[in-house]
Amino acid sequence: MLTTLNTAYTDTRASDLAWALGREPLPALAVLDLQLDDARVQLRLLGASHQVLLEEEHGNCSETVACMPGSSTPLPLGVAKRLGDWEYEFAAHVETLSRGSFAGRAQELLALVAEHPHGLAGTFPGSPHAFTAMLAQRQQGQVRWRTWHAYPQEGRLVATRTRVGVRAPVAA
């Protein structure tokens, strides 16, 4: 699903992004509710980037990657945590592209996400290449999502990848 977000583009630098787990739902500009087997996933586009809410029999998980005033946790390159019965893994990568390469990559990603049944993308007014895109799936008993945050004025694309799955039992 592709939508135009009715808001000003507020997180205008890749370095403004922060990461948080466990935040309450923030006001969203666009939402996609998904049922992936026994997992309920809500993809949320915020004025300042994204939030994913996951509910499953093993618990809940809330991931926020956004420009969050007062946040002391900048966007990490990687995180691995235990959340109750779950293993949570997060990775982020920042790519710097030329203007022409950026435009092509933006179009490619927006087309991929817009046509995917578990995808949500929103473009911001002012630039067709200023967007946040999200894609979720269930694979091998795990819920996974990828996100892309585009900063055309900097030529930067921030990509994240998250995996949440039940912890493997420890052998005795």
Side-chain angles (χ1 to χ4, degrees):
M1 179 170 89
L2 178 62
T3 185
T4 299
L5 302 173
N6 188 18
T7 188
Y9 189 46
T10 58
D11 62 335
T12 57
R13 291 191 332 243
S15 61
D16 289 341
L17 285 177
W19 167 87
L21 277 178
R23 285 201 170 223
E24 291 296 317
L26 297 171
L29 301 171
V31 173
L32 180 62
D33 289 306
L34 301 171
Q35 188 71 41
L36 304 176
D37 294 332
D38 59 345
R40 286 189 307 278
V41 178
Q42 187 175 76
L43 303 179
R44 302 168 61 81
L45 294 178
L46 312 175
S49 284
H50 90 258
Q51 187 172 51
V52 177
L53 306 178
L54 168 63
E55 288 182 39
E56 200 178 37
E57 68 177 291
H58 299 285
N60 300 327
C61 176
S62 165
E63 173 190 277
T64 307
V65 172
C67 176
M68 296 179 276
S71 177
S72 60
T73 307
L75 190 65
L77 295 179
V79 173
K81 284 185 165 277
R82 286 186 172 179
L83 299 174
D85 290 338
W86 285 340
E87 293 284 345
Y88 169 91
E89 290 182 10
F90 171 87
H93 174 72
V94 180
E95 232 181 312
T96 302
L97 302 164
S98 68
R99 187 175 298 274
S101 294
F102 191 94
R105 184 80 171 121
Q107 290 172 342
E108 174 185 286
L109 288 169
L110 287 171
L112 168 76
V113 174
E115 294 171 11
H116 196 285
H118 301 146
L120 175 63
T123 57
F124 291 89
S127 172
H129 303 127
F131 68 90
T132 300
M134 310 169 71
L135 191 62
Q137 64 181 351
R138 181 147 186 120
Q139 188 177 40
Q140 300 171 340
Q142 300 173 340
V143 178
R144 300 168 184 242
W145 57 88
R146 296 183 66 188
T147 72
W148 298 270
H149 306 259
Y151 299 91
Q153 70 284 2
E154 293 184 317
R156 289 192 174 175
L157 183 66
V158 178
T160 73
R161 186 182 302 255
T162 301
R163 179 187 67 80
V164 179
V166 176
R167 256 189 350 216
V170 176

